[in-house]
Amino acid sequence: EAWTKVGACTGTVGPTASPTFDPNTPGCPPPYDETLAYDENDKVSIDNVAYQCTQSAYCIVFGPTDAGGILGWKSLGPCFGSLAPTASPTFDADTPGCPEDYVAGTPYAGGDRVAVDNVIYQCKKPHEAHCPNRVPGAQGDDDDAWIRLGVC
């Protein structure tokens, strides 16, 4: 026989507990910003719920609460307040040199990285339609198409 009777049961199985945010890191991660491109393990919050990016290709396309958000984001559970400040962001030193130079008219997608005068920029989602025809850095800090990542 393939099955062995173990016993009988009654009632129903209740739902499992909600996931919880890491109690060793009190507070919420920064609010989700649809103009930024997120990498795997990045954490954000929306309405006191923390989320972690699990698939950067999907995190660039979908927000945590979008219909397709489950493809790239994992709910970490409720959070309250804000996290303590962390170190300044740095560019990945394991990636030698600069990415390819920006070329006007190239069909850049959200998350694509380019260099202009040894400064690295990343095309922002959902404003990627502006990336092919807007030189990174030309708009200063108000650029809705490119985000400055650092130098190379």
Side-chain angles (χ1 to χ4, degrees):
E1 288 184 31
W3 295 93
T4 304
K5 182 176 180 180
V6 177
C9 59
T10 60
T12 60
V13 176
T16 59
S18 300
T20 59
F21 189 63
D22 183 359
N24 297 320
T25 310
C28 289
Y32 172 73
D33 182 342
E34 68 180 23
T35 66
L36 299 179
Y38 292 99
D39 293 321
E40 288 181 24
N41 298 318
D42 285 350
K43 294 178 183 172
V44 299
S45 63
I46 298 176
D47 297 328
N48 293 330
V49 176
Y51 298 89
Q52 182 174 4
C53 175
T54 59
Q55 299 275 334
S56 59
Y58 291 109
C59 294
I60 292 171
V61 178
F62 300 108
T65 58
D66 291 346
I70 194 168
L71 297 171
W73 295 94
K74 172 177 75 171
S75 173
L76 299 175
C79 62
F80 302 96
S82 61
L83 293 172
T86 58
S88 298
T90 58
F91 186 69
D92 184 359
D94 294 331
T95 305
C98 288
E100 295 292 320
D101 285 338
Y102 172 81
V103 177
T106 300
Y108 295 106
D112 285 353
R113 293 178 179 181
V114 298
V116 175
D117 297 327
N118 294 330
V119 176
I120 302 165
Y121 295 90
Q122 183 170 327
C123 181
K124 292 181 185 177
K125 182 76 176 171
H127 303 286
E128 62 209 358
H130 300 290
C131 293
N133 300 310
R134 186 172 297 162
V135 177
Q139 304 294 318
D141 292 336
D142 294 330
D143 195 333
D144 64 347
W146 295 98
I147 185 169
R148 184 179 191 267
L149 297 178
V151 296
C152 57

